[in-house]
Amino acid sequence: MNTKERPDAAAPPVTVLLAEDEFLIRLAIADELRHGGWHVIEVGTADEGADVIRSAMPLDLVITDVHMPGERNGLELARLVRAVRPGTPVVVMSGQLAPTAADADLYTMFIPKPASDLFARISALLGQRAAPESR
């Protein structure tokens, strides 16, 4: 397994909302982000994510799968982020959906699953240098 050095300890950690219904996928993504020094709030549905979005909890980034159980899907969660927290970057992931022009304004970045090098890609999105990998 790759290990990453932690970013500068003086910088506040990036707080990420991760909405993913597949437990093992969520666990792997959350582990990678935490290993990079980020604080991750995990939810299994977009409905749970909506509760976090509407809360006063500070968020630097939202990562969401598209297809999830519940009343809303990941694109609807992204739409809520745009309405409630308009400056917050949104990363949408899917192994089934290809992005369309109609939904392009809902997310900052689309990542097809399975995703590799997720931490580096998202760090670049936030303008942060990804921690170097060591093998």
Side-chain angles (χ1 to χ4, degrees), residues 16-30 33 40-49 62-69 73-74 77 91-96 111-115 118:
V16 179
L17 171 62
L18 173 60
E20 168 63 61
D21 63 317
E22 295 291 335
F23 176 74
L24 293 177
I25 294 171
R26 187 173 69 239
L27 181 67
I29 293 170
L33 298 177
V40 181
I41 302 159
E42 298 178 51
V43 297
T45 69
D47 298 328
E48 293 170 337
V62 174
I63 302 172
T64 183
D65 185 20
V66 174
H67 299 288
M68 288 185 282
N73 64 33
L77 181 64
V91 174
V92 171
M93 300 186 311
S94 179
Q96 301 169 359
I111 299 178
K113 288 183 186 177
L118 188 67

Side-chain angles (χ1 to χ4, degrees), residues 40-89:
V40 181
I41 302 159
E42 298 178 51
V43 297
T45 69
D47 298 328
E48 293 170 337
D51 292 339
V52 176
I53 297 299
R54 289 185 185 112
S55 76
M57 184 175 300
L59 292 174
D60 299 302
L61 174 69
V62 174
I63 302 172
T64 183
D65 185 20
V66 174
H67 299 288
M68 288 185 282
E71 294 294 316
R72 68 181 81 219
N73 64 33
L75 292 176
E76 291 166 331
L77 181 64
R79 190 171 285 111
L80 179 66
V81 173
R82 291 293 184 239
V84 176
R85 297 176 183 243
T88 303

Side-chain angles (χ1 to χ4, degrees), residues 1-7 32 35-36 115-123 129-135:
M1 180 158 91
N2 294 337
T3 58
K4 295 180 176 69
E5 297 174 16
R6 293 193 175 266
E32 182 177 358
H35 197 74
S116 62
D117 217 8
L118 188 67
F119 182 76
R121 292 167 78 175
I122 295 172
S123 291
R129 188 171 81 67
E133 290 187 22
S134 61
R135 297 189 188 266

